Amino acid sequence: MHSFAPEIMLITILSLVVFSDTLATRLKVPSVFILLAGSYIIYTYFKAAVPIDLTHYFDTVILFCIPLIFMGDALHLHFSDIKKHGWSIFYLAVVAVALSITAGASLYHFDVFSGLSLGAYVSLFAINMATDAVSVQSVLSRFQGIGHDIKVLIEGESLGNDATAVIAFFFIGLPWMISGHIDPTHATTEALRVFAVSMGAGLALGYGFYMLMKLFSDKRGELFAFIIEGYAAYVLGEQMHVSGILTLITAIIATKAWIDMDLEAQEAKESKKRKSFFRSLRFSSVVATTKERLEYIYEMAKEFGYIAAVMIFFVLAEMVDFKTLWAYRYEILVMFGVTTLIRALSMAKFAFFGKTIDSIKPVGAEGWFILTFSGMKGALSIILVHMIPASFEHKAMFEAVTTGVVVLSIFVYGTVLWSYFTFFKKEEKSSIFTH
């Protein structure tokens, strides 16, 4: 008797995606609400629809899903936007996250979570400061009135934030938590090494695939090339014992940036007026793709990421045990409240710096509000908490807190933004940056 578990699983996932999109459009609510609730209902009450034990094959599921989750967002960042908002994205994705984890870990001195070491605090906040690109996009895509610039900041932050959180968790928090001690100098140099090597490998791989894509000119081949690049970059980074996620993000953004530069030069006909060494090195006269094909590639990559996120949501559904969540209700509410407050302060700090540093654009009160509540957690937080060894005595608490924070952030943050844009702000899109 043949097993049709993979086919049934695929039918379940695709059906949930179609149903969620249709219902979300009719109800005018973010589809991630329905996806999350639907995943739990199906997993709990319709076991036959999920015949594969995703938690048993968790490592395999994660290795398959991670490149797809990050690829779509990385492809959507345009080179001109990176040039314009580079320092702003760097602050949000690196400086603000590092400060946030440090601020959260300082709660160790108040013994907020009884029995945890300082290293455990660093790990816990690294896990719960990682935002989720798919959840954020699912919510914000429903709203009008968000300027292009603020969307660029949110997309850039959601990518860089994840890479920073992963490095803080794997190379600082987790070793510190398991061993009970850490050498600050070694930890700092190790984190810097991981950043440098991951980005260097990503840039090299990105250039290789950028040149490769000049050899063919069909949208299916280009889409598959980006998918291969995403998986290859992630595997390469992990095999080099650095950050596979940062390598992946850097590679995709680099390839897309060089393609954007070629397309801009072609449109302006600059390539005929002047040649530079770097343009010659890129063979900029040979364009890797077109804007129309790029739009197709982005849309398809976004759909693949959506499907991968649903698979992670099924794993999350298995983790949702209301008795356990209720037992850790104090820790969940404290973590959710503290991470929300820290995020609000870090976004306000971003607005403050914007008034004094020209390279970081200021945002008004509305921009601060949107940035604060766009910090929804999701797939990456679930991935990281599963990576904690089973022997760690507080793993059950970590899983319960992370699950609770993910669910609360999606529903509470999403509802706040949905309510604001549904009932209080109905005008057309406009720039949200102050001038």
Side-chain angles (χ1 to χ4, degrees):
M1 184 68 178
H2 294 292
S3 171
F4 295 101
E7 290 85 351
I8 295 172
M9 193 74 224
L10 182 61
I11 291 170
T12 299
I13 291 173
L14 295 182
S15 298
L16 181 58
V17 169
V18 172
F19 173 78
S20 299
D21 284 345
T22 302
L23 192 58
T25 301
R26 290 183 178 276
L27 298 178
K28 297 182 179 179
V29 298
S31 59
V32 70
F33 290 179
I34 303 170
L35 275 176
L36 194 56
S39 299
Y40 176 77
I41 292 171
I42 291 172
Y43 185 87
T44 305
Y45 300 105
F46 301 94
K47 292 283 189 180
V50 191
I52 297 177
D53 185 355
L54 295 179
T55 54
H56 179 71
Y57 298 103
F58 184 78
D59 290 345
T60 302
V61 172
I62 294 309
L63 289 175
F64 175 75
C65 291
I66 283 179
L68 297 178
I69 289 173
F70 289 97
M71 187 178 65
D73 245 27
L75 280 171
H76 200 225
L77 277 178
H78 196 277
F79 178 66
S80 61
D81 292 326
I82 296 174
K83 285 194 300 182
K84 183 178 180 182
H85 302 298
W87 284 110
S88 301
I89 293 172
F90 176 79
Y91 173 82
L92 288 168
V94 179
V95 178
V97 177
L99 291 173
S100 298
I101 294 173
T102 303
S106 68
L107 295 179
Y108 165 76
H109 299 289
F110 301 98
D111 197 27
V112 175
F113 302 113
S114 181
L116 294 188
S117 65
L118 182 55
Y121 273 83
V122 172
S123 295
L124 186 59
F125 276 90
I127 291 169
N128 286 280
M129 293 307 299
T131 57
D132 181 60
V134 176
S135 297
V136 172
Q137 283 300 314
S138 174
V139 172
L140 296 183
S141 63
R142 294 287 175 184
F143 304 138
Q144 298 296 315
I146 303 179
H148 173 73
D149 289 335
I150 203 72
K151 285 189 174 182
V152 170
L153 284 182
I154 292 170
E155 289 172 353
E157 186 225 0
S158 66
L159 285 170
N161 169 302
D162 290 345
T164 304
V166 166
I167 291 173
F169 174 74
F170 281 112
F171 296 94
I172 299 176
L174 188 60
W176 192 355
M177 181 175 71
I178 300 302
S179 66
H181 60 85
I182 194 169
D183 181 346
T185 303
H186 174 74
T188 302
T189 55
E190 181 67 3
L192 292 175
R193 180 192 71 83
V194 171
F195 265 109
V197 175
S198 299
M199 294 188 72
L203 287 171
L205 199 63
Y207 178 77
F209 272 87
Y210 160 72
M211 297 300 292
L212 178 67
M213 289 176 66
K214 292 177 179 286
L215 301 178
F216 47 87
S217 57
D218 66 280
K219 59 185 181 182
R220 184 172 62 183
E222 290 160 2
L223 170 64
F224 289 167
F226 273 117
I227 294 174
I228 294 169
E229 180 181 8
Y231 279 102
Y234 181 72
V235 172
L236 176 64
E238 293 299 311
Q239 288 294 318
M240 294 174 65
H241 302 291
V242 291
S243 173
I245 290 177
L246 182 56
T247 306
L248 183 162
I249 292 170
T250 303
I252 297 293
I253 289 179
T255 300
K256 175 66 163 42
W258 281 314
I259 289 173
D260 287 339
M261 285 189 280
D262 286 353
L263 292 175
E264 288 174 3
Q266 187 184 55
E267 284 186 354
K269 296 183 179 179
E270 291 178 355
S271 56
K272 294 182 179 179
K273 294 180 181 179
R274 56 186 176 90
K275 284 278 186 181
S276 69
F277 170 74
F278 290 106
R279 284 189 179 177
S280 300
L281 194 65
R282 298 197 324 262
F283 296 99
S284 60
S285 58
V286 181
V287 181
T289 187
T290 64
K291 284 189 173 182
E292 292 74 17
R293 297 205 299 268
L294 269 180
E295 187 63 29
Y296 163 83
I297 291 167
Y298 169 67
E299 289 299 325
M300 292 300 296
K302 186 170 67 173
E303 295 305 321
F304 284 138
Y306 208 54
I307 292 170
V310 174
M311 295 180 69
I312 302 298
F313 282 155
F314 276 116
V315 176
L316 176 62
E318 188 273 337
M319 296 172 63
V320 175
D321 181 338
F322 286 109
K323 288 183 179 180
T324 304
L325 294 180
W326 181 253
Y328 289 105
R329 61 191 181 279
Y330 167 77
E331 290 84 354
I332 292 171
L333 291 175
V334 168
M335 176 58 71
F336 178 69
V338 169
T339 51
T340 301
L341 178 61
I342 290 174
R343 183 172 178 83
L345 291 174
S346 66
M347 296 304 107
K349 201 175 184 68
F350 170 75
F352 171 77
F353 278 138
K355 297 176 182 178
T356 57
I357 302 176
D358 291 338
S359 57
I360 296 180
K361 290 186 174 294
V363 297
E366 186 179 52
W368 166 78
F369 173 82
I370 294 171
L371 283 170
T372 296
F373 288 101
S374 63
M376 283 157 276
K377 283 66 178 177
L380 185 60
S381 295
I382 302 304
I383 292 168
L384 294 181
V385 79
H386 260 282
M387 296 299 180
I388 296 175
S391 58
F392 179 58
E393 60 179 324
H394 299 289
K395 183 171 183 177
M397 189 272 276
F398 271 54
E399 289 185 340
V401 169
T402 301
T403 302
V405 169
V406 168
V407 173
L408 283 176
S409 68
I410 290 175
F411 283 104
V412 175
Y413 290 1
T415 300
V416 168
L417 289 175
W418 175 80
S419 300
Y420 176 71
F421 284 100
T422 301
F423 301 109
F424 299 101
K425 185 179 178 65
K426 298 183 179 181
E427 66 265 26
E428 294 298 317
K429 292 181 182 179
S430 60
S431 178
I432 219 163
F433 282 99
T434 55
H435 298 283

